[in-house]
Amino acid sequence: MNTNIASREIDHDRRRFLGTATAAAITESFGLAGSGDAQPRNVARTGIDSASHASFASLKQIEAGLLNVGYAEAGPDDGPAVILLHGWPYDIYSFVDVTRLLASKGYRVIAPYLRGFGTTSFLSQGTVRNGQQSVVAVDIIALMDALKIQKAILAGFDWGARTADIVAALWPERCRGLVSVSGYLIGSQAANEAPLPPKAELAWWYQFYFATDRGRAGYDKYRHDFAKLIWQLASPQWNFDDATFDRSAASFENPDHVDIVIHNYRWRIGLAKGESQYDGLERRLSASPVITVPTITVEGDSNGAPHPVDSSYRGKFSGKYEYRLITGGIGHNLPQEAPQEFAKAVIDVNAL
């Protein structure tokens, strides 16, 4: 690694929990079929019923673009690279079991904290705490450059799925394949000007809350309880325990977290400006570019968060493509609720 790249191990004992043996058992019993096997549209849930308390052994840090990025890494250095991208209000622990499964199959797995989460920090106090959609994708390209990863499979959900979609759309030469929960999530401020039917608007209640000063203050004060409520609403059948939630909730104590989250949601509906240097990227994204790389989109049958139906975005993928519905009460945090199915989608997209 270059001498100008800061990379160090971070003691992670304060966030360790029991359950490593459980995660190891999951890995041993994974038993993936060959990547070329045909896959059904509906996949029965084979993941664990209760949340795994497994932890990453350690975190690393690396300077990339505007950030010092915290990330977990597992698997051989020369394995096919996979970058796993979380959403809000979640963190890299959505992928703790997926990481073990993929590493056991020879993949080099990178799970970074997005800007405003966990141990990721800005290199300069003067940098705008910007959460617009293109910026997060630029962060991931910078991370790939810093890690000397030319091409990777991008896989994610929520903000992470949107970010993976953007990388695949704007930099297809950097994306070996795409796994995207809820499919095509690229948006624009112009598109978001159109009102939705009342029931759909109700599902975005937190976006309207964040549009107010009271909402910003409320999220800052109650971010732990707020995030837990979102988890419950977005995954109504996922019986996660307090230890599982608290392990991820520590990531929301990042000093930039509230600024990034509020800007992200205000920017979406035109209440906050983006930075001018990203205007060109946003113009390209506003045209809803078609994604050409091999893609598998996945959805949980009990996703309680706002999400498009698969028929609405099928035409946005022009390359090799599969859609999978994961059944068994799977909600919005699909990688953590159904890690085996998510890992299998990553392995299978590598073979498309």
Side-chain angles (χ1 to χ4, degrees):
M1 191 171 294
N2 293 340
T3 57
N4 64 333
I5 295 177
S7 182
R8 65 183 185 273
E9 301 291 335
I10 304 297
D11 180 9
H12 217 48
D13 287 343
R14 67 184 178 86
R15 293 171 65 188
R16 289 183 188 273
F17 292 88
L18 296 176
T20 301
T22 300
I26 296 168
T27 300
E28 292 173 1
S29 65
F30 191 36
L32 284 173
S35 58
D37 292 351
Q39 298 302 316
R41 178 181 176 88
N42 298 295
V43 181
R45 181 176 187 177
T46 58
I48 52 178
D49 292 328
S50 60
S52 167
H53 295 166
S55 180
F56 296 108
S58 63
L59 292 183
K60 297 179 179 180
Q61 297 289 141
I62 191 168
E63 291 186 6
L66 301 174
L67 304 172
N68 187 289
V69 179
Y71 66 101
E73 182 172 6
D77 291 342
D78 60 351
V82 179
I83 298 177
L84 303 174
L85 301 172
H86 68 82
W88 170 87
Y90 305 93
D91 78 336
I92 63 174
Y93 280 94
S94 290
F95 301 107
V96 66
D97 294 316
V98 171
T99 296
R100 291 173 179 272
L101 294 168
L102 292 175
S104 75
K105 296 296 179 180
Y107 287 82
R108 180 189 181 190
V109 185
I110 309 292
Y113 286 113
L114 301 186
R115 56 169 58 195
F117 293 80
T119 61
T120 291
S121 61
F122 287 87
L123 296 175
S124 171
Q125 287 298 319
T127 302
V128 176
R129 274 37 178 180
N130 181 352
Q132 70 184 98
Q133 63 176 354
S134 61
V135 170
V136 186
V138 170
D139 289 344
I140 300 308
I141 293 296
L143 176 63
M144 292 176 67
D145 290 344
L147 293 172
K148 300 188 182 304
I149 296 173
Q150 180 57 36
K151 203 165 190 176
I153 298 168
L154 278 294
F157 72 106
D158 197 84
W159 289 20
R162 178 176 296 106
T163 301
D165 288 349
I166 292 171
V167 172
L170 298 186
W171 297 279
E173 71 280 1
R174 307 299 299 272
C175 186
R176 167 66 187 85
L178 171 67
V179 174
S180 179
V181 176
S182 299
Y184 190 91
L185 299 180
I186 297 173
S188 70
Q189 288 179 316
N192 287 336
E193 289 179 358
L196 300 174
K199 188 174 181 180
E201 295 283 18
L202 177 62
W204 287 103
W205 65 271
Y206 51 87
Q207 182 168 261
F208 299 107
Y209 183 64
F210 289 162
T212 67
D213 290 340
R214 183 169 180 262
R216 188 194 189 286
Y219 183 60
D220 191 11
K221 182 176 181 179
Y222 298 109
R223 68 183 80 173
H224 182 281
D225 293 344
F226 199 103
K228 195 169 190 176
L229 175 61
I230 295 295
W231 279 35
Q232 292 165 340
L233 294 175
S235 299
Q237 297 190 47
W238 182 33
N239 295 318
F240 61 89
D241 57 22
D242 288 341
T244 298
F245 175 76
D246 291 343
R247 182 182 57 183
S248 288
S251 299
F252 314 145
E253 298 306 315
N254 183 299
D256 302 307
H257 179 75
V258 174
D259 286 340
I260 296 297
V261 171
I262 297 301
H263 185 267
N264 176 284
Y265 285 103
R266 290 183 179 180
W267 177 86
R268 294 190 195 194
I269 55 177
L271 297 181
K273 293 182 178 180
E275 294 180 86
S276 60
Q277 62 263 42
Y278 304 111
D279 286 351
L281 295 178
E282 294 296 348
R283 281 193 293 271
R284 293 172 64 187
L285 295 174
S286 68
S288 299
V290 171
I291 292 174
T292 60
V293 305
T295 299
I296 295 177
T297 62
V298 291
E299 187 61 83
D301 64 340
S302 294
N303 186 357
H307 63 279
V309 296
D310 61 288
S311 60
S312 70
Y313 55 71
R314 174 62 186 89
K316 304 310 296 183
F317 300 96
S318 65
K320 296 179 179 179
Y321 176 82
E322 290 183 20
Y323 167 78
R324 297 178 183 179
L325 178 67
I326 313 301
T327 62
I330 304 301
H332 189 60
N333 187 2
L334 192 148
Q336 196 164 3
E337 297 176 61
Q340 295 185 31
E341 288 82 1
F342 192 86
K344 192 174 193 315
V346 171
I347 292 172
D348 290 347
V349 84
N350 193 37
L352 287 182

